[in-house]
Amino acid sequence: MTAFPIQVERTRTLKDKPDIHTLGFGQVFTDHMFVMDYTEGEGWHSARIMPYQPITLDPSAMVFHYGQTVFEGMKAYVTATNEVLLFRPERNFQRLNHSNDRMCIPTINEAHALVALKELVQLDREWIPTAPGTSLYIRPFIIATEPYLGVAASKNYQFIIIMSPVGSYYKEGLNPVKILVEKQYVRAAKGGTGEAKTGGNYASSLKAAELASKEGYAQTLWLDSIENKYIEEVGSMNIFFKINGTVITPALNGSILPGITRDSILHMLHSQNIPVEERRISVDEVVEAYENGTLEEAFGTGTAAVISPIGEFKYGEQQILVNNNEIGLLTQSLYDKLTGIQNGTIEDTFDWTVII
Amino acid sequence: MTAFPIQVERTRTLKDKPDIHTLGFGQVFTDHMFVMDYTEGEGWHSARIMPYQPITLDPSAMVFHYGQTVFEGMKAYVTATNEVLLFRPERNFQRLNHSNDRMCIPTINEAHALVALKELVQLDREWIPTAPGTSLYIRPFIIATEPYLGVAASKNYQFIIIMSPVGSYYKEGLNPVKILVEKQYVRAAKGGTGEAKTGGNYASSLKAAELASKEGYAQTLWLDSIENKYIEEVGSMNIFFKINGTVITPALNGSILPGITRDSILHMLHSQNIPVEERRISVDEVVEAYENGTLEEAFGTGTAAVISPIGEFKYGEQQILVNNNEIGLLTQSLYDKLTGIQNGTIEDTFDWTVII
Ligand SMILES: Cc1ncc(COP(=O)(O)O)c(C=O)c1O
Ligand SMILES: Cc1ncc(COP(=O)(O)O)c(C=O)c1O
């Protein structure tokens, strides 16, 4: 690897740490941030760690107009022996580059990004909370900064990493959630940007989430954009079903975000010799399994919640109860194992964690 | 209308105006901008005109992560008798509110927005260029500013208007362009955000535009997301075909942006008793018309270019020449009439222009 000099400017006044017991998600930020600039002709340059501070941009900066952004989400944990662990961070930077490619943003050097991340986490390691279920959420993102109103790829970008100590994503803790199957709005289309972690996908999801929330549902179940019948994702998570002893998850088809938690769960299931299928699965198949009593479990997977058990689906007038609205055995065991690996209480036989 | 107080802070140093003959698009901005804030519980407040200046936001501001943005584009012209004209500005603020609704952004008071716009244009009226084909481009936009990483609608927003003196959008002037029919990527899906003027639609379009540009094509022709065969838009414009004496444009179907130029052209055609159809039109129909010699004209419509004649389509291996790659008679006459109405040289029998 080529040398990757990072200029470090430490803050003069450390901020107060938040109360660990009332910690929400993504509202409190650490003392420092990482920033790197891209200039056409010059490439990525000026890598620096500096005090967490506002961003100042021209009002014509492209990010405000044409949504050319990508981001990632991952977590750092501190172990009982005071080691700092990251979970498969190289996968996040790999996915960031896939997102970059789709959004016409110049790729970053993944190894350099990991060096920068480690240095930043090390500097702010006192911010990693230790209470069960808590962690340091890490948000790398890239924004288009060129001050120009033409519709075109920006010539300038900023790559930024900010970090936020977080409590559990779901305030109620690990509890089955109710999901509304969305029949009108779609999250992502074939030929669209669903496979990329880019702002527009999330902006377009808000309307359906708002409607679901009004009806008392925690998340939206997204269907495919063409036949409006195959299951894609749930909220900002990938989804798994256990039907008649087999675990089924929608195959990556170009409009589904390739979740790193999804990939990890697939590896864990394979290692336990549990039958797994990655394929198309329709809502009708889930309804049928429910009706003939073979729908055993359902859960979402994602960095924020890790695993989120699903207790009920609503599909038009049809109500689909899962496992009597209780957390399934497999769901619970996968949750315990994966969070255990992530926070260092269970041996990592997969070689996923990276010690800083 | 309720009173709408706008606090005005004038700049101390006026900027130099750019050379009118080398003017591009959207790179130079006027002396002032309009800004208004939204705070949950309080609504829109603090309307102000101030010197054009950078925006300062927390790095966790939602616009950088989840693409919750909307925007508009319109133009101001100055007439030979030194009157300042806007073209159907109330339609832009109406559409902004439709976009707001889709993107879960609080609506604005359209009458207030027009008051603000008029005051801003009046203040910076010296910036409106007078050379033929030039105008003052106006960009109202709204960005989500809440510093929070949860995926949810923001609780705070800024509504901003910036203005840029512009030359002709197409540097070559009114000249037929070559268009590549896009078979892999889609701009917008049924149930998606195509009807809204939001950043994500433009970010997702960049990849196809880049590929088209590499092959020597000026714009992308977008097809529908389901059957990949019905024509939607061309680049950032609506599209019209003249086939066998009848003008055909895709009907607004939820994934097409309802262009104000499109609407104006439809009114002009009706008033001239030219047969018009708003309906689904497939690429195959255009190919067939080309082959049997009835494809007479094709053009795009949009605020930036007003009307852009199309000289050629490429659809896979099929090349479709339109009117021998020359500007069609109807295209030219619509362009002359509409730009004439907009800049005040032709009488506005439609009552579209608004004098400031
Ligand atoms: C739309 C969407 N799907 C799925 C996921 C899950 O991905 P991961 O497991 O990598 O966090 C995410 C991110 O959290 C997401 O935003
Ligand atoms: C995607 C898209 N389609 C069509 C148009 C044309 O709309 P209007 O005529 O209102 O400018 C625009 C905006 O210019 C656009 O961005």
Side-chain angles (χ1 to χ4, degrees), chain A residues 95 187 197 202 233 236-238 257 259-261 301-303:
Chain A
R95 186 170 64 186
R187 189 192 85 90
K197 223 166 151 63
Y202 299 81
E233 309 198 35
S236 300
M237 293 183 287
N238 296 111
L257 192 86
I260 294 161
T261 318
T301 66
T303 295

Side-chain angles (χ1 to χ4, degrees), chain A residues 45-157:
Chain A
H45 62 88
S46 306
R48 56 203 185 271
I49 286 173
M50 55 200 231
Y52 186 89
Q53 62 191 265
I55 301 174
T56 296
L57 290 172
D58 196 88
S60 67
M62 286 179 144
V63 61
F64 296 133
H65 304 271
Y66 304 128
Q68 207 191 359
T69 65
V70 294
F71 69 95
E72 273 302 327
M74 55 181 132
K75 285 177 171 174
Y77 303 84
V78 62
T79 68
T81 56
N82 214 24
E83 274 175 338
V84 174
L85 298 184
L86 297 172
F87 184 72
R88 309 184 78 184
E90 70 288 351
R91 288 295 219 119
N92 289 93
F93 291 125
Q94 207 175 10
R95 186 170 64 186
L96 190 67
N97 269 342
H98 282 136
S99 301
N100 281 336
D101 184 58
R102 178 64 182 86
M103 307 315 293
C104 299
I105 296 174
T107 54
I108 55 162
N109 181 315
E110 294 168 25
H112 288 179
L114 192 52
V115 168
L117 174 63
K118 286 180 176 176
E119 192 159 335
L120 180 66
V121 173
Q122 185 57 40
L123 187 60
D124 281 348
R125 65 175 286 157
E126 296 301 321
W127 282 88
I128 310 175
T130 53
T134 64
S135 59
L136 184 69
Y137 182 78
I138 298 164
R139 168 58 55 89
F141 63 108
I142 301 178
I143 53 175
T145 56
E146 191 192 354
Y148 173 45
L149 294 186
V151 178
S154 177
K155 296 197 170 102
N156 312 323
Y157 301 87

Side-chain angles (χ1 to χ4, degrees), chain B residues 282-333:
Chain B
S282 67
V283 201
D284 293 337
E285 182 177 342
V286 174
V287 171
E288 203 183 298
Y290 166 65
E291 285 175 344
N292 66 29
T294 56
L295 177 61
E296 294 158 359
E297 306 189 26
F299 58 89
T301 66
T303 294
V306 188
I307 285 184
S308 181
I310 297 170
E312 182 190 327
F313 295 94
K314 185 83 187 283
Y315 180 48
E317 290 309 303
Q318 173 90 48
Q319 195 195 27
I320 306 167
L321 263 187
V322 188
N323 195 34
N324 240 331
N325 201 24
E326 282 164 22
I327 304 178
L329 278 183
L330 179 66
T331 306
Q332 182 74 53
S333 105

Side-chain angles (χ1 to χ4, degrees), chain A residues 137-179:
Chain A
Y137 182 78
I138 298 164
R139 168 58 55 89
F141 63 108
I142 301 178
I143 53 175
T145 56
E146 191 192 354
Y148 173 45
L149 294 186
V151 178
S154 177
K155 296 197 170 102
N156 312 323
Y157 301 87
Q158 281 202 316
F159 172 63
I160 300 172
I161 306 177
I162 56 176
M163 308 195 297
S164 168
V166 297
S168 260
Y169 194 71
Y170 294 98
K171 291 173 202 99
E172 325 90 66
L174 191 70
N175 249 319
V177 292
K178 289 166 66 181
I179 302 296

